[in-house]
Amino acid sequence: MDFINIVIKTAFIENLVLSYFFGMCSYLAVSKTVKTAFGLGMAVIFVLAITMPINWMINEYLLTEDIMGMDLTFLRFIMFIAVIASMVQLVEMVIEKFSPALYTALGIFLPLITVNCAILGGSLFMVSREYNMMETVAFGIGGGFGWFLAVVALAAIREKIRYSNVPPALRGLGMAFILTGLMGIAFMSLMGIDPAALGQ
Amino acid sequence: MADTATATPQVKEPLFGKKERKLITDPLNDNNPITVQVLGICSALAVTTQVYPSVVMSIAVVFVCAFSNLTTSLVRNHIPKQIRMIVQLVIIATLVTIVELVLKAFSYPVYKQLSVFIGLIITNCIIMGRLEAFALANKPWRSFLDGIGNGLGYGAILILVAVIREITGKGAIGGFAIFPQSFYDAGYFNNNLMVLPASALLVIGVLIWIQRSMYPKLVDVS
């Protein structure tokens, strides 16, 4: 499959939040205002695009079934989560050094990303779907963009719905779930798109 | 040495007193991890189209949650504060690897069906959340019970959603058809919408609505 196909497919048709529920906790927690949703969304795109190729290389060259006579595949989860945690730390330090403005904008959200399921989920999907390097990069960018899109959309809806008369028991969390479900149904209408035809 | 030992007599804590029982029953309703604490909704919902994988998933989460709480609580006085996250992640990842290998060995079809979602237990926020909020400040036995309680509270919602979705979406429970053929002949249809991912969110939204209408103290004021 080619690059653009995978980007479009993971961003719209198989959106990480709406069809796999990845990163749902932070998705619900930060979607109260558009500003915070935007910050975390950008951070997710950034970290996904960086960690996935690194995890791909580790999985391909280190965690093989026969490296120096050992089968290291059982270390996969620990390696992935360690790479993600250390990359998040590294990205945080680099941004702080070179772009203090971006750092203050993303600041508090970066550490949160370590335990965002979207990042680890992306890496695990890459293994189970046997992507190559290029497809992995495409999946990282597309998946991050899809997550960004969903969280900003929900935040915008929640900002407006504050002025509506929602039943008290449904306020806040309950409504956020129902809205996400409806958004999921709306995104499903994109299923008819044939990425192969678009890519040409 | 002998003096200090007599000066602070050990208060005998009951092994399974009222407080301990509360640790298990509380997360089932009043402090449910999914509907009240809003933790751990993440990926696991994707397995709720059928009952059987959800039961397996719940057992896995109870196991990981209980034992990671126990382990963290045992080493809680030796973890430096700055690196506690990475220590917790390593503990959780090790337990999840055990679960994955056990499933792979004993129940390969379920392992295939759950695929990446077993690995995603690592980033399930309930487990990390309970480690941070409970295990780092409490004794091992109580942390263990808290882990079991929260795992069960999570499993209860997961299985409830799975039962609703499987009955309405596939007309079956655990793979056994519950509607006789005559129903379908009379014009009954399975609701295909309930098999799609979006319906899990709608079902949870409605469950939260019902729970909060029944227990008004849970209503979120903001």
Side-chain angles (χ1 to χ4, degrees), chain A residues 21-22 25 74 77 117 168 173 181 188, chain B residues 42-43 46 97 120 125 196-198:
Chain A
F21 315 102
F22 283 177
C25 313
F74 72 95
F77 292 155
C117 326
L173 187 60
M188 234 172 263
Chain B
C42 298
S43 49
T97 310
L120 284 173
C125 329
L196 298 174

Side-chain angles (χ1 to χ4, degrees), chain A residues 58-135:
Chain A
I58 287 180
N59 188 53
E60 187 75 12
Y61 300 116
L62 284 179
L63 303 178
T64 48
E65 278 171 12
D66 184 30
I67 176 162
M68 294 179 290
M70 288 178 290
D71 177 2
L72 291 181
T73 46
F74 72 95
L75 282 178
R76 188 174 289 149
F77 292 155
I78 297 182
M79 278 309 287
F80 281 2
I81 200 75
V83 166
I84 291 168
S86 45
M87 279 317 293
V88 168
Q89 197 85 51
L90 193 70
V91 165
E92 200 180 344
M93 289 191 295
V94 170
I95 295 181
E96 192 182 9
K97 184 97 170 70
F98 292 103
S99 170
L102 185 63
Y103 179 74
T104 42
L106 296 183
I108 42 167
F109 298 116
L110 275 172
L112 266 180
I113 290 186
T114 311
V115 284
N116 188 323
C117 326
I119 316 290
L120 184 65
S123 292
L124 292 175
F125 260 140
M126 155 199 99
V127 174
S128 73
R129 292 181 183 174
E130 294 168 358
Y131 281 152
N132 64 27
M133 182 73 177
M134 219 48 212
E135 288 166 342

Side-chain angles (χ1 to χ4, degrees), chain A residues 1 16 51 132 152 166 187:
Chain A
M1 278 206 269
L16 288 185
T51 54
N132 64 27
V152 171
V166 179
F187 266 64

Side-chain angles (χ1 to χ4, degrees), chain B residues 103-124:
Chain B
L103 261 187
K104 207 173 182 175
F106 291 104
S107 184
Y108 195 71
V110 179
Y111 168 77
K112 271 279 156 218
Q113 201 172 359
L114 291 175
S115 67
V116 300
F117 296 105
I118 286 289
L120 284 173
I121 298 176
I122 297 172
T123 47
N124 193 321

Side-chain angles (χ1 to χ4, degrees), chain A residues 17-26 28 32 74-78 81-82 85-86 111 114-118 120-122 124-125 128 167-175 177-182 184-185 188 191, chain B residues 34-36 38-46 85-86 89-90 93-94 96-97 100-101 115-120 122-125 128 165 193 196-198 200-202 204-206 208-209 212-213 219-222:
Chain A
V17 186
L18 302 171
S19 50
Y20 297 110
F21 315 102
F22 283 177
M24 207 70 203
C25 313
S26 30
L28 291 168
K32 288 197 174 112
F74 72 95
L75 282 178
R76 188 174 289 149
F77 292 155
I78 297 182
I81 200 75
S86 45
T114 311
V115 284
N116 188 323
C117 326
L120 184 65
L124 292 175
F125 260 140
S128 73
L170 200 55
R171 262 175 216 163
L173 187 60
M175 205 61 212
F177 270 113
I178 292 181
L179 285 173
T180 313
L182 293 176
I185 293 174
M188 234 172 263
M191 234 180 236
Chain B
I34 293 187
T35 58
V36 182
V38 210
L39 292 174
I41 309 130
C42 298
S43 49
L45 280 184
M85 296 285 247
I86 204 95
L89 281 175
V90 170
T94 312
V96 173
T97 310
E100 191 209 15
L101 293 177
S115 67
V116 300
F117 296 105
I118 286 289
L120 284 173
I122 297 172
T123 47
N124 193 321
C125 329
M128 198 73 171
R165 284 181 74 187
L193 178 69
L196 298 174
L201 295 163
L202 296 175
I204 290 226
V206 172
I208 290 174
W209 190 3
R212 291 191 179 180
S213 311
V219 172
D220 161 2
V221 276
S222 65

